Amino acid sequence: MKKVLLSLLMVAGLGFAASAQTEGAVNKISVGPDFALPIGDFGDVYSLGYGGSVQGELNVAKSLNLTGSAGYLSFSYKKEYKDLVKALGGNLKNEGAIPVKVGAKYYFGGNFYGAGELGAAFGTGEGSSTAFAYSPTLGASFSVADKSSIDLGIRYEGWSRNGSTSSFIGIRAAFAFGL
């Protein structure tokens, strides 16, 4: 019984070591849904944002990856704004944006990381403009199989244009593929 238990522990340990290949600072690509909770003045007008993104990571040092990401977010107006515009004979559609950013991700001893990205958020609606985008992030990456992991992150994201900033708390749950 003791030998069987020891063998199982060794197999589990080897399995963990093999599946840890996408945790931490390694080359990988992740894809997943994004959710955004608008805050400040942006939160006065919009209720929720949702969409998806893809992120690539290139390992450049023991605990450091360079990142590049792109995605799409759609923001829905609050009900009172929709009702007001409807009463005036109009119709409000969701507003969309395509954020494209580059940055770095630093892994603190394994699964947990801090990241920062800079870039642009391109508005997709009629008369939309482009904003400077920035986002500090905290998150964790957990292996689920050999060369794959789940990446969970929470971030503050700001989009600045013409002296004003639209900001939100973003949540991303992504599936990462090791390269």
Side-chain angles (χ1 to χ4, degrees):
M1 180 69 170
K2 200 175 192 181
K3 285 183 181 181
V4 170
L5 201 54
L6 185 57
S7 296
L8 286 173
L9 287 173
M10 286 177 59
V11 169
L14 289 174
F16 179 75
S19 67
Q21 292 177 12
T22 54
E23 283 183 2
V26 297
N27 297 332
K28 55 185 151 182
I29 294 176
S30 62
V31 61
D34 278 282
F35 300 95
L37 180 61
I39 56 176
D41 292 340
F42 195 52
D44 292 341
V45 178
Y46 296 97
S47 62
L48 182 67
Y50 54 89
S53 63
V54 62
Q55 182 179 68
E57 295 185 39
L58 177 65
N59 183 238
V60 294
K62 182 179 178 188
S63 298
L64 183 67
N65 282 357
L66 296 181
T67 63
S69 64
Y72 178 78
L73 284 170
S74 176
F75 290 91
S76 58
Y77 285 93
K78 287 194 168 185
K79 184 177 176 0
E80 54 266 26
Y81 284 94
K82 287 182 184 178
D83 292 343
L84 176 62
V85 171
K86 188 175 183 178
L88 297 172
N91 186 22
L92 282 179
K93 296 180 181 179
N94 288 359
E95 293 290 331
I98 299 170
V100 178
K101 302 174 286 185
V102 295
K105 188 182 277 190
Y106 183 81
Y107 288 87
F108 305 103
N111 299 27
F112 299 98
Y113 63 82
E117 288 189 306
L118 302 173
F122 303 94
T124 60
E126 187 177 321
S128 294
S129 61
T130 301
F132 171 70
Y134 54 95
S135 59
T137 304
L138 290 175
S141 179
F142 302 100
S143 288
V144 293
D146 188 29
K147 291 201 166 216
S148 62
S149 62
I150 299 294
D151 187 309
L152 303 172
I154 185 166
R155 70 186 182 280
Y156 167 85
E157 187 155 334
W159 296 345
S160 295
R161 76 179 137 246
N162 302 327
S164 67
T165 299
S166 301
S167 55
F168 59 89
I169 301 298
I171 298 170
R172 181 171 189 258
F175 188 78
F177 305 91
L179 301 176

